[in-house]
Amino acid sequence: MLELSGISKTFGGVKAVQNVSLCIQPGEVRGLIGPNGAGKSTLVNLISGLLTQSSGVISLNGVPLDGFSTPKRARLGIARTFQNLRIFSSLTVHQNIEVANNIGQSSGRENDNFLKNAIEKFDLSEKLNTSADSLSYGFLRRLEIVRALALRPNILMLDEPAAGMNEQETAVLGDALKWIRLRSDCAMLVIDHDLRFIMGLCDQITVLNMGEVIAEGKPNEVANNRQVIDAYLGEDHAIAV
């Protein structure tokens, strides 16, 4: 469904992403991990249209996305959350969701009752009339995910969704994300540094280091990959996974 072929991005003389190719199928949950500065968020920014690749092709359902704006990509079914929350703080929870829902309703990708059920699953039903600026950090994270789901996405990209959460909150989030895959064919691309969270959630994991893919495979394969251990996991984390 989502295909990246030979994607590179340079900023001046800095090669942030180098010749990255990957393919994500409907319903797949793909992890994207690597050290800080490896190019993970840059890659998500390229897919969502916030940045333009220096070379290579990004396609959705066989349609190259070159020249497509971020709003157009959203209408086509590419949704995301951000490492640093981007919520409309002056709006209510309901209004935040409706901003995306208006676009999702016109997309032709309607999934009966999915959004209503997602609001309930992420415990936002009782907070719809609450101003977003009064929500706790954990609920702001949930709101950003539900707002993205309101687009009825083909692919949902989550940039460090468990950042700042404790172990219990992370477990609840993981359960909610697994619920999404059971209720829709929405694929997910998930960046996070919580290795237990990623390993327990994802079907496949792609590992970036210095902008390049150094490994790809099932969680257990990646966890035992010597190059990944040396570049990112470290011996202690490799054993724990």
Side-chain angles (χ1 to χ4, degrees), residues 53-143:
Q53 66 266 29
S54 302
S55 61
V57 178
I58 301 173
S59 301
L60 182 67
N61 294 322
V63 178
L65 300 180
D66 289 358
F68 285 19
S69 66
T70 298
K72 185 167 185 178
R73 295 184 193 209
R75 287 193 293 272
L76 289 173
I78 296 177
R80 68 168 298 179
T81 65
F82 291 84
Q83 186 175 343
N84 298 313
L85 286 163
R86 297 193 183 182
I87 294 293
F88 301 118
S89 59
S90 63
L91 302 182
T92 66
V93 169
H94 175 71
Q95 289 168 335
N96 265 275
I97 295 171
E98 278 302 298
V99 169
N101 189 38
N102 289 333
I103 298 172
Q105 287 178 327
S106 65
S107 69
R109 296 186 299 274
E110 186 67 43
N111 186 339
D112 290 345
N113 294 321
F114 176 71
L115 180 57
K116 177 183 177 181
N117 292 334
I119 291 170
E120 294 176 356
K121 182 64 180 179
F122 282 82
D123 294 327
L124 293 172
S125 297
E126 303 300 320
K127 298 183 180 293
L128 289 175
N129 294 319
T130 302
S131 177
D133 63 5
S134 68
L135 293 178
S136 67
Y137 175 80
F139 275 104
L140 286 171
R141 281 285 179 193
R142 297 179 191 187
L143 173 56

Side-chain angles (χ1 to χ4, degrees), residues 29-33 40-41 44 47 78-84 122 141-149 153 155-163 173-174 176-178 180 186-193 197-198 201-202:
V29 181
R30 175 71 64 98
L32 186 63
I33 66 173
K40 304 181 297 295
S41 291
V44 169
I47 296 169
I78 296 177
R80 68 168 298 179
T81 65
F82 291 84
Q83 186 175 343
N84 298 313
F122 282 82
R141 281 285 179 193
R142 297 179 191 187
L143 173 56
E144 194 176 35
I145 294 172
V146 172
R147 186 180 63 181
L149 289 173
I155 180 161
L156 173 62
M157 300 185 294
L158 305 173
D159 196 346
E160 298 197 27
L173 173 63
L177 296 181
K178 290 174 182 177
I180 293 172
C186 173
M188 285 183 273
L189 178 64
V190 185
I191 298 173
D192 213 277
H193 288 288
F197 172 68
I198 284 288
L201 176 67
C202 299

